[in-house]
């Protein structure tokens, strides 16, 4: 092999190495930094890029896609001295590759430590009940804190989620007992309220029934009074009519009317099925005597009128 051949082979190898160091292909979703003699100069975007061989070099290869960072599990003490086990995830994206490459030494490690520290700070200000029921509030607080803290690093934190918030087993048992007691208390209260409402409804029903009964009795009493009043008016009119008839027709008509009533009364007494023995005076003189007594009673109860008022109706006959 001659010296010329060796020189050509050396030049070919140098050209290959120069091309390899001067031509770089950046994949999609990544941004590379370029350093010249150790100082940052520019960024390489996705695609084909050219460098000055042996002068420029690739510094950091940064992923500009949204990255999911797992936060390790840790024990956190709440405000009321309860211990809970917490872990979560952080979604972030590199917005300024130069800051992300040179403002922080290890971006993921720094984000991890920052998230764990602030989880302890946020949950430490809350009671256990609030920690278990206010996960959205914790996520919002952590998001605001982490996004503000990572802004100088050129990083945008888009979401923070707590995946697990678990108290210790003995505390879980105590919470279950408390929950059971609370549910029993609510059931007792609801049952008492239902019984009270039912008693009120029953009392209202009884009250309405008594009111309706009283109104019914009142209406019945009014009707009875009206009936008695009508009966009294009818009897008064009948008495007036009898008196008018007696005044017009004389004592004979009155004696006939009283005798007829007397005979009908004895007929009704004899026809009564409950009567086992009826004594009826069959002699005419006895019946006449009864009629005479009735006329005498009528005369005594009636006010005297006319010159013959003191005489007996039988004497006028």
């Amino acid at each position: 092999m001659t010296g010329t051949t060796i020189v050509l082979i050396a030049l070919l190898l140098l050209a290959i190495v120069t091309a390899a160091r001067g031509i770089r292909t950046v994949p999609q979703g990544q941004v590379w930094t370029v350093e010249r003699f150790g100082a940052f100069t520019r960024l390489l975007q996705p695609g084909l890029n050219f460098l000055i061989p042996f002068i420029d070099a690739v510094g950091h290869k940064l992923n500009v896609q949204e990255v999911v960072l797992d936060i390790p599990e840790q024990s956190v003490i709440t405000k009321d001295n309860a211990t809970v086990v917490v872990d979560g995830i952080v979604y972030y994206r590199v917005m300024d590759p130069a800051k992300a490459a040179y403002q922080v030494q290890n971006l993921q490690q720094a984000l991890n430590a920052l998230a764990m520290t602030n989880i302890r700070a946020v949950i430490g200000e809350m009671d256990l009940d609030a920690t278990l029921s206010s996960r959205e509030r914790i996520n919002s607080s952590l998001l605001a804190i982490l996004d503000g803290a990572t802004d100088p690093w050129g990083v945008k934190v888009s979401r923070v989620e707590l995946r697990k918030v678990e108290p210790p087993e003995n505390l879980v048992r105590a919470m279950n007992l408390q929950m059971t007691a609370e549910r029993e208390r609510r059931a007792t209260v609801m049952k008492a309220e239902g019984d009270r409402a039912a008693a009120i409804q029953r009392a209202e029903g009884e009250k309405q029934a008594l009111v309706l009964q009283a109104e019914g009795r009142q209406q019945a009493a009014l009707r009875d009074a009206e009936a008695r009043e009508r009966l009294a008016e009818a009897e008064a009119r009948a008495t007036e009519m009898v008196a008018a008839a007696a005044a017009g027709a004389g004592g004979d008509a009155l004696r006939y009317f009283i005798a007829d009533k007397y005979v009908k009364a004895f007929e009704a007494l004899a026809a009564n099925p409950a009567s086992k023995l009826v004594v009826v005076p069959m002699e005419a003189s006895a019946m006449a005597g009864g009629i005479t007594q009735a006329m005498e009673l009528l005369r005594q109860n009636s006010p005297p009128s006319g010159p013959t008022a003191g005489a007996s109706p039988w004497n006028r006959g």
Side-chain angles (χ1 to χ4, degrees):
M1 182 179 293
T2 63
T4 303
T5 304
I6 294 173
V7 171
L8 291 175
I9 293 173
L11 290 175
L12 180 60
L13 292 175
L14 180 61
I16 293 173
V17 172
T18 301
R21 293 180 65 89
I23 300 173
R24 294 298 176 91
T25 301
V26 179
Q28 185 66 38
Q30 292 187 5
V31 174
W32 294 358
T33 62
V34 177
E35 298 176 356
R36 180 171 295 173
F37 301 114
F40 169 75
T41 57
R42 60 192 177 94
L43 298 173
L44 299 181
Q45 301 297 329
L48 185 63
N49 295 272
F50 297 95
L51 301 177
I52 300 175
F54 307 108
I55 295 177
D56 293 341
V58 175
H60 295 82
K61 299 179 180 181
L62 299 173
N63 186 354
V64 293
Q65 296 175 327
E66 191 168 33
V67 180
V68 180
L69 177 65
D70 286 329
I71 302 174
E73 183 179 293
Q74 61 175 331
S75 297
V76 181
I77 299 176
T78 62
K79 185 178 180 180
D80 51 354
N81 296 325
T83 303
V84 292
V85 178
V86 182
D87 68 353
I89 51 177
V90 175
Y91 295 84
Y92 73 94
R93 174 178 291 179
V94 174
M95 306 301 293
D96 190 340
K99 289 183 178 180
Y102 299 105
Q103 294 296 327
V104 59
Q105 184 175 6
N106 188 323
L107 179 59
Q108 288 196 350
Q109 183 178 358
L111 276 173
N112 201 342
L114 186 64
M116 294 178 66
T117 302
N118 284 281
I119 286 175
R120 288 195 295 269
V122 172
I123 295 180
E125 296 177 354
M126 303 172 64
D127 295 333
L128 177 61
D129 293 339
T131 302
L132 297 176
S133 61
S134 305
R135 188 169 297 190
E136 284 297 328
R137 173 185 167 190
I138 298 173
N139 293 338
S140 300
S141 300
L142 290 174
L143 176 61
I145 294 172
L146 294 180
D147 190 36
T150 57
D151 185 66
W153 303 343
V155 174
K156 174 66 176 177
V157 178
S158 59
R159 192 172 183 84
V160 179
E161 292 286 346
L162 293 182
R163 291 185 300 188
K164 180 173 68 173
V165 180
E166 293 183 356
E169 185 178 354
N170 58 347
L171 191 56
V172 171
R173 288 196 299 269
M175 292 172 63
N176 290 333
L177 293 175
Q178 180 182 1
M179 188 186 332
T180 303
E182 179 65 20
R183 289 180 177 176
E184 291 178 353
R185 184 189 67 82
R186 290 180 182 177
T188 303
V189 171
M190 292 181 66
K191 183 177 182 302
E193 291 179 353
D195 293 341
R196 182 173 64 87
I200 292 174
Q201 292 294 330
R202 286 194 297 270
E204 287 291 336
E206 294 175 357
K207 174 184 175 182
Q208 292 295 330
L210 292 175
V211 170
L212 292 175
Q213 291 176 3
E215 292 178 354
R217 289 193 299 270
Q218 181 182 8
Q219 293 294 331
L222 292 176
R223 296 297 176 84
D224 290 342
E226 291 176 358
R228 288 194 298 271
E229 183 180 356
R230 298 293 185 273
L231 181 60
E233 292 177 355
E235 290 179 353
R237 284 196 297 269
T239 303
E240 291 176 357
M241 292 176 65
V242 170
D252 293 337
L254 184 58
R255 286 193 296 271
Y256 173 78
F257 177 76
I258 295 175
D260 181 66
K261 291 294 183 180
Y262 190 78
V263 171
K264 287 183 178 180
F266 272 103
E267 289 179 355
L269 183 61
N272 188 2
S275 300
K276 298 185 179 295
L277 179 62
V278 179
V279 178
V280 180
M282 298 302 296
E283 295 81 358
S285 60
M287 183 175 295
I291 295 173
T292 302
Q293 293 176 0
M295 290 295 295
E296 183 65 22
L297 290 175
L298 179 62
R299 186 185 64 81
Q300 293 177 1
N301 292 329
S302 299
S305 61
T308 60
S312 174
W314 298 101
N315 295 328
R316 289 200 308 269

